[in-house]
Amino acid sequence: MTTVYLAIAEVKGGALRQVSFEVITAARQASGEGSTVASVLIGSDVSRFANELAAYGADHVYVVEHNDLTHYNAEAYDASLQAVIQAAQPKAIFFGHTSIGKDLAPLSAASLQAGQISDIIALETDAASGSILYTRPIYAGKAFEQRTFTSAQSVVTVRPNNFPLPSYETGRTAPVVNIAYPASTLRTFIRDVVTQAAGRVDLSEAKIVISGGRGVKSAAGFKPIEELAEVLNGAVGASRGACDAGYCDYALQIGQTGKVVTPELYIACGISGAIQHVAGMSQSRVIIAINKDPDAPIFQIADYGIVGDLFEVVPLLTAQFKQQLKSGSVD
C-alpha cells in the first residue's frame, strides 16, 4: 500500500497562499521512495485550485466543498479533514504555521493520537537511524532544536518562507478525489467576517518587510514606510510599541506576541530592537536597521545599519530604488 503524506492548502483572498506550495515541498522531503504527496482543499468553491496544486507537484488532490466552509470554522474544517484522513490514511499531515494551521493541527493530532512538531524551518534524514529530524527555533530564535517522531502518524506545521517552492510543471495533472462534507450539528457558526484594511502583500509570506517602531512618532509617520514598501512590493510591519501607541493596527505587529516573519529583506525603521520584537524577525535573511541611536540593540543583529533620522533616510532610499527600478538595474 502506498504511503500518503497530506499537505494542507489554504485559500485567502481568492487565491492559494504561498505556504500551500511550501508544505508540498516539506511533505516531499519527508516522504520516502514511492510515497504519495496529496494536497487537501477545504472550503467553498475551492476545486478550481486543484490543477494549480497539481502543477506544483501534488500527486493527488482531496477536495471537500460546502457552504458551511466558506469561512474558517474549526469544527467544520476539522470534521472535513477527518473525512479526508479516513479516506487517505496518511502517515503524516503538513500544515502551514498560520492562524488556521496552528488551530487545526492540534485538533488533528489529538484525534489521531499522533505527535506534533510545530513551526519547523527545515528537515533532514538522520544517517544513523533513518528517521526524519525536524528543525525548529526555540528561545525566541536564539537556539534550534531537532525533534523526531515516535508515533506511527505525525502532524507538522511549517513556518512560511523557509521551504522553497516546488517546481511548476505546466500541464501537469493529478487525480481529484471529492470527499463528501460530513454534515454534522455545528455548535458555532460564522455569520460574517470583518477584516481590517491590509496591504497588497501578505505580511507572513512577504519577501520584503519594512517595519516601523515608536520612532515613527505618529500614524502619519508610517507614510514614508508605506511608500517604500509599495516601491519594493513589500509588506508593512510594526513593533508592539508602535501598535500600543496607536500608530497602526495590531494586525501589523511583528514579535513574540505578534507575527513571525522570515523575509529575504527586513528593514527596521525607528525600532530599538527589544527582545520581544527580535523574536519575530531575527531569522530574516538580511536585516537593515535605521535608527538615530547608534547604541540601539537592533544594530547588534542587523547585517547593515544606518544611523540617522528615518524621515530623512527612508525617503532617500525610496527615491533611489525608484530610480534604479526605472533604469532596470534592480530586479
Side-chain angles (χ1 to χ4, degrees), residues 179-195:
I179 303 295
Y181 172 65
S184 58
T185 302
L186 299 178
R187 291 172 294 178
T188 58
F189 297 90
I190 309 298
R191 296 299 186 189
D192 194 15
V193 175
V194 179
T195 59

Side-chain angles (χ1 to χ4, degrees), residues 196-225:
Q196 294 283 348
R200 295 178 297 112
V201 182
D202 189 316
L203 182 58
S204 63
E205 297 183 345
K207 297 297 183 183
I208 298 175
V209 175
I210 299 91
S211 288
R214 285 188 181 273
V216 302
K217 299 179 182 179
S218 67
F222 266 92
K223 185 175 181 180
I225 292 174

Side-chain angles (χ1 to χ4, degrees), residues 276-326:
Q276 290 86 354
H277 181 75
V278 170
M281 46 67 71
S282 61
Q283 298 305 308
S284 303
R285 304 295 191 276
V286 177
I287 300 172
I288 298 175
I290 303 170
N291 201 296
K292 290 194 295 184
D293 180 6
D295 297 319
I298 192 70
F299 287 121
Q300 297 177 14
I301 64 165
D303 297 286
Y304 302 95
I306 301 175
V307 178
D309 189 335
L310 73 90
F311 295 106
E312 297 176 1
V313 175
V314 174
L316 289 174
L317 286 176
T318 302
Q320 186 64 33
F321 278 121
K322 282 182 177 178
Q323 182 179 342
Q324 296 295 320
L325 289 167
K326 187 175 181 180

